[in-house]
Amino acid sequence: MNGKRGRPRNVETHKAILSASYELLLENGFQAVTVDKIAERAQVSKATIYKWWPNKAAVIMESFLYAATARLPVPDTGSALEDIVIHATNLTRFLTSQEGTIITQLLGEGQFDSALAEAYRTRFFRPRRLEARGLLEKAIQRGELKQGLDIDISIDLIYGPIFYRLLVTGDTLDEAYVHSLLKKAFEGLRSG
């Protein structure tokens, strides 16, 4: 048993529901999306949605993750440090796009919905963190960063300021900032 409720998902119906959910999310924002609207747009019953997802937040989260994963590939240029720059820059571009602003809505909603918070932590942030971990490990293996580097602290050092600007200060978050941030971070990571 796969742990999912109900019968196996019909692939086309599943895609239609995710597509409808994501379109509505982009058009109207998290608060305005309802299971009724998703069902209407996907031309399915609410019961079909509830067979596969426990609530609106779960279907929206899955639709967002499906779209986000496709837009955030892990680079492999031959230089792990260049890969980290590309990875952080792509993440920043995504977070500051119309689609990326959804993550701020989900983070806000997650303050009141622990299931949604757990979903975005496990399904969006942890995979991004694992990608960053892999890039840093590769940089160490290639001699681009020193052995014994604390990878978790390094990830926080590199990506934390991006989310701080996005969610707290509202200061400019663009490629120039990311490149400047990473230049300083790499200086510290190489010498420290």
Side-chain angles (χ1 to χ4, degrees):
M1 192 103 196
N2 65 7
K4 301 275 185 189
R5 300 182 319 170
R7 65 179 189 234
R9 297 178 184 185
N10 172 292
V11 174
E12 293 306 314
T13 302
H14 184 253
K15 284 182 183 176
I17 293 168
L18 291 180
S19 178
S21 172
Y22 193 65
E23 289 168 7
L24 288 165
L25 187 60
L26 287 177
E27 291 168 13
N28 305 307
F30 184 86
Q31 287 292 332
V33 179
T34 65
V35 172
D36 285 324
K37 289 178 182 176
I38 296 169
E40 182 181 324
R41 173 110 17 134
Q43 299 179 342
V44 300
S45 71
K46 282 176 30 179
T48 298
I49 294 171
Y50 284 120
K51 280 181 198 171
W52 297 335
W53 294 277
N55 55 39
K56 163 186 116 165
V59 69
I60 287 174
M61 191 69 206
E62 187 169 334
S63 72
F64 174 77
L65 293 169
Y66 182 76
T69 300
R71 288 165 178 75
L72 294 169
V74 178
D76 187 6
T77 63
S79 164
L81 294 181
E82 181 62 23
D83 291 347
I84 294 167
V85 170
I86 293 168
H87 190 259
T89 302
N90 287 345
L91 178 64
T92 299
R93 275 192 210 122
F94 178 75
L95 291 172
T96 57
S97 71
Q98 178 192 1
E99 294 171 301
T101 59
I102 292 165
I103 198 68
T104 59
Q105 293 176 35
L106 294 172
L107 288 170
E109 288 298 317
Q111 302 308 301
F112 307 101
D113 182 338
S114 60
L116 177 62
E118 182 59 24
Y120 64 63
R121 285 182 190 123
T122 52
R123 298 184 62 211
F124 182 75
F125 288 109
R126 283 190 192 131
R128 303 291 83 70
R129 195 167 178 90
L130 287 173
E131 292 168 358
R133 172 175 279 287
L135 293 171
L136 286 166
E137 287 170 347
K138 198 183 301 182
I140 292 167
Q141 290 168 358
R142 291 179 176 170
E144 295 175 78
L145 292 174
K146 66 183 175 101
Q147 293 289 324
L149 184 70
D150 186 321
I151 292 178
D152 287 324
I153 296 279
S154 299
I155 292 169
D156 293 344
L157 177 66
I158 293 168
Y159 293 92
I162 294 169
F163 284 96
Y164 183 73
R165 280 194 174 209
L166 178 74
L167 299 170
V168 178
T169 69
D171 291 339
T172 301
L173 184 55
D174 57 16
E175 288 183 43
Y177 170 75
V178 172
H179 287 257
S180 176
L181 168 70
L182 292 178
K183 180 180 178 200
K184 295 292 185 193
F186 290 155
E187 285 173 11
L189 294 175
R190 283 186 184 124
S191 66

